[in-house]
Amino acid sequence: MLKGKTVVLGVTGGIAAYKTASLASMLVKQHADVQVIMTEHATNFITPVTFETLTGNKCMVDTFDRNFQFQVEHVALARRADIFMIAPATANVIAKVAHGLADDMLTTTFLACKKPKYLAPAMNTQMYENPITQDNLETCRRYGMHVIAPDSGYLACGDTGAGKMPEPEELFEYIMLELACEKDMAGKRVLVTAGPTREAIDPVRYITNHSTGKMGYAIARAAARRGARVTLVSGPVELKAPLGVELVPVTSAAGMFQAVTAAAADQDMIIKAAAVADYRPSHVGTEKTKKTDGAMSIELERTDDILAWLGAHRTPGQLLCGFSMETQNLLENSRAKLEKKHVDMIVANNLKTAGAGFGTDTNVVTLITGDGTEKLALMTKDETAHEILTRLMAMGADAGWTGGGEKLS
Ligand code: CTP
């Protein structure tokens, strides 16, 4: 996903420098051209050969080479970069870049670079919390640099507190959010629902389903990477919210109804991937239900159908997409939902199809619209997410959406 993109990684002298090797490797796997510039201090923690082996590029080490051609190359690299991330960023380098100091290769190239810049501070807690460092970080933010908040925990120096560099997977997400996709959804507001709901029986038990939230989270991630402003209303799942997405956690169908209907009017697109309970217990016990010798039954009542509500209250220009999971008569049942709930698209999948269904990383879906039916091949949920968004964006264009993406009203 990063083919043709140049990522410049600045590595400074902190113990977290070893983690940046994993980051470089992840970027290379996405076909990015990864250029690493190290400070001399950083070479005390990790060797340039590690980065050269991983990236296939010469790692520039910061003995400021006075050779003119080399300096010009650096300006060229600053120009070629699509993103520049300093990870780990020591208190020292943060102080330098906050004040425009350019006394070595890394800071020179950083100062010359006009593309998005990220700092991943990593240092001792006292240094991090020092008002001087905090002021410097504020200055960096004021100049448009992105500061990635450090994690808290046990630090290499023996202290416990803030100052730990986030794991490479998290840094990778920042780069992917910035570079992985064309921003064709910039300015669009998208609400996605995901996961199951839980309907309480008593304080101990609940009714739910097997949804893991993977499909909805994949859609939210894809939309955010394409530049949309994404709200993710999620039932209880084990997944971490994608970077750049506003998470609204809910538990029950009633909670999801409230969260979705409260935000609905502002959305250009609402995609309901959640597996919402159709029924909930009519009475929720305040105490644990004790067993008896005989059988027992639980009376259920209908929950509100959120998608149907959205279909009845849609705002001008808004696109609605529902999901349909069936075990038989997939197309017939799903088209009936499209019409009954007044939505623009139903993403239908059969639980019994190999590669589709709960918990898998792949899906096999059929997109049903007023214009027809399109069966997509087996693909990852991430790929499926992009296909769905691309179709919805095309429908938006047909409906007169403008490039700026503001909802018609
Ligand atoms: N849905 C919803 N609110 C509900 C139930 C479902 O918004 N209370 C939405 C789901 O998020 C999904 C779509 O409706 O996008 C279809 O859900 P599904 O359960 O497959 O269909 P139902 O209409 O509930 O019909 P049935 O359960 O009979 O298949």
Side-chain angles (χ1 to χ4, degrees):
M1 293 187 88
L2 298 178
K3 205 173 164 64
K5 303 288 182 187
T6 300
V7 179
V8 181
L9 296 177
V11 182
T12 68
I15 180 65
Y18 77 92
K19 292 188 188 174
T20 311
S22 305
L23 174 62
S25 165
M26 287 175 203
L27 295 166
V28 168
K29 282 188 191 135
Q30 295 295 327
H31 304 286
D33 172 26
V34 182
Q35 301 282 346
V36 180
I37 312 178
M38 297 176 78
T39 59
E40 209 175 354
H41 283 146
T43 62
N44 293 322
F45 295 92
I46 185 165
T47 134
V49 177
T50 306
F51 288 112
E52 287 176 357
T53 311
L54 291 170
T55 66
N57 289 323
K58 182 168 165 38
C59 174
M60 283 156 276
V61 181
D62 188 20
T63 45
F64 195 44
D65 194 320
R66 307 242 165 234
N67 177 310
F68 176 72
Q69 197 190 343
F70 200 36
Q71 286 181 51
V72 170
E73 260 176 37
H74 270 260
V75 175
L77 179 57
R79 256 193 227 122
R80 205 168 85 225
D82 291 295
I83 191 169
F84 198 141
M85 179 180 280
I86 304 184
T90 57
N92 186 48
V93 86
I94 289 166
K96 284 193 200 177
V97 299
H99 295 92
L101 291 184
D103 62 350
D104 57 25
M105 286 298 177
L106 197 160
T107 49
T108 307
T109 315
F110 197 74
L111 190 64
C113 182
K114 285 182 166 173
K115 295 293 171 48
K117 294 175 184 173
Y118 284 77
L119 300 172
M123 65 197 74
N124 163 274
T125 306
Q126 317 302 330
M127 292 171 79
Y128 178 67
E129 288 174 353
N130 189 312
I132 303 174
T133 305
Q134 288 302 316
D135 278 356
N136 286 337
L137 287 171
E138 196 43 49
T139 304
C140 290
R141 283 190 202 98
R142 198 155 40 80
Y143 284 120
M145 299 173 213
H146 303 273
V147 177
I148 300 172
D151 288 343
S152 289
Y154 179 77
L155 305 175
C157 58
D159 279 359
T160 302
K164 224 172 137 69
M165 190 171 89
E167 292 306 310
E169 289 75 13
E170 189 178 333
L171 302 182
F172 175 76
E173 282 304 315
Y174 281 92
I175 295 170
M176 292 299 278
L177 185 62
E178 196 76 62
L179 297 184
C181 301
E182 289 303 315
K183 304 296 180 233
D184 66 329
M185 295 181 74
K188 293 277 182 287
R189 283 159 295 188
V190 178
L191 188 147
V192 182
T193 69
T197 63
R198 275 182 193 167
E199 310 305 323
I201 298 170
D202 65 22
V204 181
R205 306 168 181 101
Y206 54 79
I207 299 172
T208 190
N209 57 63
H210 293 293
S211 171
T212 58
K214 281 186 178 176
M215 192 63 241
Y217 275 59
I219 294 170
R221 184 183 310 108
R225 286 183 180 178
R226 288 167 76 155
R229 269 169 53 191
V230 182
T231 305
L232 174 60
V233 179
S234 175
V237 295
E238 297 293 319
L239 305 172
K240 210 173 153 208
L243 192 68
V245 161
E246 185 202 349
L247 178 71
V248 181
V250 297
T251 305
S252 63
M256 187 170 281
F257 181 87
Q258 223 167 25
V260 171
T261 54
D266 294 332
Q267 307 301 324
D268 295 291
M269 200 186 269
I270 302 180
I271 304 174
K272 289 223 70 254
V276 188
D278 289 323
Y279 293 91
R280 66 174 157 242
S282 310
H283 305 287
V284 182
T286 50
E287 305 298 338
K288 183 183 171 194
T289 314
K290 301 300 289 179
K291 64 176 168 295
T292 59
D293 288 340
M296 78 167 294
S297 59
I298 300 172
E299 190 186 286
L300 301 176
E301 65 183 16
R302 282 292 306 270
T303 56
D304 290 318
D305 190 315
I306 308 167
L307 192 58
W309 185 96
L310 293 169
H313 295 84
R314 89 162 68 211
T315 55
Q318 187 175 65
L319 283 177
L320 297 177
C321 171
F323 270 66
S324 166
M325 182 175 269
E326 299 287 346
T327 54
Q328 56 186 348
N329 303 328
L330 179 71
L331 298 185
E332 204 183 317
N333 289 345
S334 302
R335 185 162 289 285
K337 286 176 202 176
L338 178 88
E339 282 152 18
K340 188 171 164 214
K341 302 193 187 193
H342 300 109
V343 298
D344 302 288
M345 182 191 283
I346 288 282
V347 181
N349 59 144
N350 188 332
L351 188 55
K352 293 183 175 169
T353 303
F358 296 123
T360 57
D361 287 322
T362 56
N363 212 346
V364 184
V365 302
T366 301
L367 306 182
I368 299 174
T369 64
D371 288 340
T373 297
E374 183 187 5
K375 184 166 186 212
L376 301 184
L378 169 75
M379 56 182 86
T380 64
K381 284 187 171 167
D382 286 328
E383 288 164 340
T384 307
H386 279 290
E387 295 293 333
I388 294 167
L389 292 174
T390 299
R391 300 308 187 286
L392 287 170
M393 287 301 289
M395 292 176 93
D398 288 346
W401 278 6
T402 54
E406 289 313 306
K407 195 165 68 62
L408 303 176
S409 54

